[in-house]
Amino acid sequence: MESKDSNILEYMVLKNLSLLNYKNFETASFEFDSKINCLVGNNGVGKTNVLDAIYHLSFGKSYFNPITVQNIKHGEGFFVIEGNYDKKNREEKIIVSAKRGLKKIIKRNGKPYPRFSEHIGFLPLVIISPADRDLNCRGK
Ligand SMILES: Nc1ncnc2c1ncn2[C@@H]1O[C@H](COP(=O)(O)OP(=O)(O)O)[C@@H](O)[C@H]1O
Ligand SMILES: [Mg+2]
């Protein structure tokens, strides 16, 4: 029988991420630590784009630019984002791909979702950006 604590702490880790033609990245891959990760680099190298790619894996869209084709690297026809997760001791491979003129596809372990709504919530994620802080200031 599962203990109460193991129900609450749903273990989930993004182990690695690979990008193809996503925003400023032609090809890129990243390995992540299970605890804390820092992205360091000059302005414009793509730190926020990496976070947005991870957001894409959870929600099937960009946090910053909901127009899908604008997330394809300029001059290219498609993007692919792949993330490999450990979730409750199981390997989960999530792929989000988009091609100009075609419907976006989200696959879990090779199987495309018929409806994106079935995927939302599977990989819980929160993104906090400076824009959210600005909204709070206006609402005070
Ligand atoms: N669709 C795209 N194709 C090519 N480059 C893009 C695209 N979308 C954004 N970029 C580029 O990504 C860069 C910004 O990356 P960003 O993640 O905001 O950098 P950082 O957070 O490291 O400062 C800019 O140079 C911008 O032109
Ligand atoms: Mg940034």
Side-chain angles (χ1 to χ4, degrees):
M1 203 175 84
E2 269 190 323
S3 76
K4 202 176 164 204
D5 277 352
S6 69
N7 282 335
I8 294 167
L9 300 169
E10 284 203 4
Y11 177 79
M12 183 182 101
V13 151
L14 173 59
K15 293 188 298 178
N16 56 61
L17 174 77
S18 54
L19 306 177
L20 188 55
N21 296 334
Y22 187 74
K23 293 191 174 176
N24 64 318
F25 295 105
E26 185 180 335
T27 59
S29 51
F30 305 88
E31 299 284 327
F32 297 116
D33 186 77
S34 62
K35 292 197 171 133
I36 295 178
N37 295 274
C38 299
L39 301 177
V40 180
N42 289 338
N43 277 346
V45 290
K47 302 180 295 295
T48 302
N49 293 346
V50 170
L51 299 181
D52 207 24
I54 297 171
Y55 187 91
H56 239 109
L57 292 172
S58 283
F59 295 103
K61 61 181 181 184
S62 161
Y63 180 78
F64 296 98
N65 189 344
I67 301 166
T68 296
V69 292
Q70 293 181 1
N71 295 295
I72 298 174
K73 187 172 192 293
H74 297 153
E76 302 293 340
F78 69 95
F79 72 67
V80 182
I81 303 167
E82 176 180 327
N84 289 290
Y85 295 79
D86 255 352
K87 184 173 149 78
K88 293 200 249 178
N89 277 330
R90 288 176 61 160
E91 303 253 314
E92 303 281 359
K93 182 193 286 290
I94 307 296
I95 296 181
V96 178
S97 58
K99 198 171 177 180
R100 281 180 203 281
L102 293 181
K103 209 175 157 285
K104 192 148 49 179
I105 297 169
I106 307 179
K107 289 183 188 170
R108 177 180 164 204
N109 300 326
K111 194 165 161 255
Y113 283 94
R115 280 176 301 277
F116 288 5
S117 58
E118 290 173 24
H119 178 64
I120 312 301
F122 180 64
L123 303 171
L125 179 146
V126 173
I127 190 162
I128 298 167
S129 83
D132 299 326
R133 184 212 57 187
D134 294 345
L135 273 178
N136 284 338
C137 289
R138 268 202 293 273
K140 77 181 174 196

